[in-house]
């Protein structure tokens, strides 16, 4: 099992777009890496199953993964 998680996110709004195990960089996107660099950035964090299961309700703010309060159903807040 991986001990790190790479999170690719939209630079403008922080929304997480893709996840992958281990430590990666923009080369993850192969020959399209240069294109993706215009819109996305990435961070590497400790592996966290909660992030993987809930990434659509999270974003990256100041290089930290944060829950988006408005996207979490009220019964879970």
């Amino acid at each position: 099992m991986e001990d790190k998680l790479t999170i690719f996110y939209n630079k403008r709004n922080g929304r997480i777009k893709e996840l992958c195990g281990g430590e990666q960089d923009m080369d993850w996107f192969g020959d399209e890496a240069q294109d993706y660099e215009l819109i996305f950035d990435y961070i590497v964090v400790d592996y966290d199953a909660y992030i993987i299961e809930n990434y659509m309700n999270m974003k990256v703010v100041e290089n930290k993964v944060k829950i988006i309060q408005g996207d979490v159903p009220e019964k879970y807040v």
Side-chain angles (χ1 to χ4, degrees):
M1 177 148 126
E2 300 285 348
D3 63 338
K4 295 292 182 183
L5 181 65
T6 301
I7 300 171
F8 295 96
Y9 65 94
N10 183 299
K11 289 179 181 180
R12 182 180 54 82
N13 63 18
R15 289 285 190 158
I16 296 173
K17 293 298 177 185
E18 189 162 339
L19 308 167
C20 60
E23 294 187 46
Q24 305 293 332
D25 58 22
M26 295 307 281
D27 289 338
W28 174 258
F29 297 105
D31 64 353
E32 295 179 321
Q34 202 171 18
D35 300 317
Y36 278 90
E37 286 176 342
L38 298 172
I39 300 169
F40 300 118
D41 204 353
Y42 70 95
I43 59 171
V44 177
V45 299
D46 289 335
Y47 181 88
D48 187 328
Y50 185 81
I51 293 173
I52 292 171
E53 294 170 9
N54 298 284
Y55 76 92
M56 55 285 214
N57 295 322
M58 300 179 153
K59 66 180 181 176
V60 175
V61 178
E62 297 177 3
N63 289 324
K64 294 186 187 208
V65 179
K66 303 288 184 179
I67 217 96
I68 301 169
Q69 292 294 334
D71 286 353
V72 178
E74 187 64 30
K75 73 179 190 177
Y76 298 113
V77 177

